[in-house]
Amino acid sequence: MWDRLDLASDPPPPGELDVAAVLIPLYDDNDGVTRVVLTKRPDTMPTHAGHIAFPGGRPDPGDDGPAATALREAYEEVGIPPEDVEILGYLPPIHTVEFKLMVVPVVGRLPGTPDLVPSPREVVRVYEPSLDDLADESRWRYEDWNGHRVWFYDLEGDILWGATALMTRRLLRLSSY
């Protein structure tokens, strides 16, 4: 799976929008199934409350680019050690309409099934769906939402949608799923 990813090797240049970065953490479980780590944000969060998301957020002053931001946030949110992540590349950035934000998706490979430790302040649930399950088109739908066409995916009683759904679909397309 890893050698089939067609990713950009460099992050996009900064633009006029605020920037955030997310880590798309991929790993092969003990059965050789490729999985991705997603989180559910608490309803108490000031932005994206209750949303399913990849670990990530806005840069801190000490972050040296999107990969550093994504790695720091993944460690803070679910305890993925930055040194355990092999950066594979970048998906095209997503421009969110609601928050006027450019989100840079950083794709990373973990050495095996991670020992995730969710931050209770930032994460209420962790999902680890397989890429095969995410590639099941019968679980996806494309609908109007506030005047925009948006992807939705039924994920274990929750809904993956918006920018995270778009990133997921781009990952699946680039990985030949």
Side-chain angles (χ1 to χ4, degrees):
M1 155 11 184
W2 311 110
D3 57 350
R4 296 189 320 224
L5 284 173
D6 183 19
L7 302 170
S9 57
D10 295 311
E16 296 184 15
L17 299 172
D18 283 342
V19 177
V22 298
L23 181 66
I24 301 178
L26 301 171
Y27 69 91
D28 290 338
D29 67 16
N30 294 335
D31 296 322
V33 175
T34 303
R35 297 187 175 278
V36 64
V37 177
L38 292 159
T39 65
K40 181 172 183 176
R41 295 170 53 85
D43 290 333
T44 56
M45 295 301 281
T47 61
H48 306 97
H51 289 200
I52 307 299
F54 293 112
R58 295 179 190 257
D60 278 355
D63 291 346
D64 184 22
T69 298
L71 291 171
R72 177 185 50 75
E73 287 283 344
Y75 181 71
E76 291 174 4
E77 291 180 23
V78 291
I80 296 173
E83 62 273 11
D84 286 357
V85 181
E86 174 190 356
I87 300 298
L88 299 176
Y90 302 85
L91 292 176
I94 303 287
H95 297 104
T96 64
V97 176
E98 185 178 0
F99 295 100
K100 294 182 174 52
L101 189 66
M102 181 178 77
V103 181
V104 178
V106 181
V107 181
R109 178 183 181 179
L110 305 177
T113 303
D115 183 19
L116 301 173
V117 182
S119 163
R121 188 180 73 75
E122 297 190 68
V123 176
V124 294
R125 185 169 177 190
V126 174
Y127 300 90
E128 298 173 75
S130 72
L131 290 189
D132 287 334
D133 286 344
L134 290 169
D136 180 354
E137 286 294 327
S138 70
R139 296 173 67 180
W140 288 95
R141 62 189 187 281
Y142 195 56
E143 297 179 4
D144 285 320
W145 181 81
N146 284 350
H148 302 280
R149 296 290 288 168
V150 177
W151 285 104
F152 294 84
Y153 177 87
D154 297 316
L155 179 68
E156 300 176 31
D158 272 314
I159 302 294
L160 167 64
W161 67 284
T164 304
L166 182 56
M167 288 179 234
T168 301
R169 291 194 60 87
R170 285 182 176 174
L171 175 72
L172 293 168
R173 189 173 61 239
L174 290 174
S175 64
S176 304
Y177 268 86

